[in-house]
Amino acid sequence: RAGRTEEGLDLYRNALAAGTLSEVNEESHVLGALGGLSTALLDMNLLDEVEPHVEHYRKAALAQSRREGRVSTQELASIEASARLHEARGRPHEAEREMRALLLLMRDNQAAVQDQILVCKELLLDARLHLKILSFESGREELLMLWAIELKKFGPPYR
């Protein structure tokens, strides 16, 4: 955790603290910081520290989507973060439930998803990279098929 990685985590923590104090557009600052911090902590496998942030991220992103009247990319990303956390905690069934929720939300909100096509495509590719439940060896063919169907809507799956 030493060096640049720890410095990066400190910056995300500071951004989250600053976002909550901002008088201008506080919500977007907090969501951005929560997303970045959650991803960084998950990448470092700091599960005890990340868990409350992922829960806060999910609630804040869902509230944003409800206020906007459409699904936001932050909501989709927060669901992926939750799936990653569940899998890292050894709860593959909960991780699968979250991924199904994400895929169904994408399917049922095509207009919103198409507005953010690159972000959504990257989110699906990132999920496949980080979640073992999306590997062929997982035995979850139906989940993989749902994932592939949604990804195909965005064109070739190349980064």
Side-chain angles (χ1 to χ4, degrees), residues 13-43:
R13 289 178 186 118
N14 291 339
L16 179 59
T20 59
L21 298 174
S22 173
E23 294 177 10
V24 179
N25 203 7
E26 172 188 328
E27 177 185 304
S28 67
H29 294 298
V30 171
L31 281 172
L34 279 169
L37 180 59
S38 295
T39 298
L41 291 169
L42 283 165
D43 288 348

Side-chain angles (χ1 to χ4, degrees), residues 13-127:
R13 289 178 186 118
N14 291 339
L16 179 59
T20 59
L21 298 174
S22 173
E23 294 177 10
V24 179
N25 203 7
E26 172 188 328
E27 177 185 304
S28 67
H29 294 298
V30 171
L31 281 172
L34 279 169
L37 180 59
S38 295
T39 298
L41 291 169
L42 283 165
D43 288 348
M44 294 183 64
N45 206 34
L46 298 173
L47 304 182
D48 290 335
E49 185 175 351
V50 76
E51 195 152 10
H53 295 301
V54 169
E55 291 170 9
H56 183 193
Y57 187 28
R58 284 291 309 274
K59 289 176 185 172
L62 178 61
Q64 178 193 39
S65 289
R66 287 186 176 153
R67 274 190 298 280
E68 292 176 355
R70 61 186 285 166
V71 67
S72 70
T73 55
Q74 290 286 0
E75 182 179 1
L76 298 171
S78 74
I79 295 170
E80 186 220 358
S82 181
R84 287 184 63 192
L85 176 62
H86 283 302
E87 187 174 81
R89 288 279 194 199
R91 301 184 299 246
H93 296 294
E94 288 86 350
E96 181 175 351
R97 184 192 69 230
E98 293 285 45
M99 277 309 300
R100 285 181 184 280
L102 181 134
L103 295 167
L104 293 174
L105 198 56
M106 288 180 124
R107 184 194 70 196
D108 294 343
N109 293 277
Q110 284 301 301
V113 168
Q114 290 299 319
D115 286 347
Q116 297 291 326
I117 194 166
L118 294 176
V119 173
C120 292
K121 181 178 178 180
E122 194 64 29
L123 180 71
L124 287 173
L125 292 170
D126 191 58

Side-chain angles (χ1 to χ4, degrees), residues 127-142:
R128 177 78 193 279
L129 179 68
H130 288 100
L131 290 166
K132 293 175 189 164
I133 59 168
L134 289 175
S135 71
F136 291 110
E137 297 80 26
S138 73
R140 292 176 166 84
E141 290 84 16
E142 183 186 347

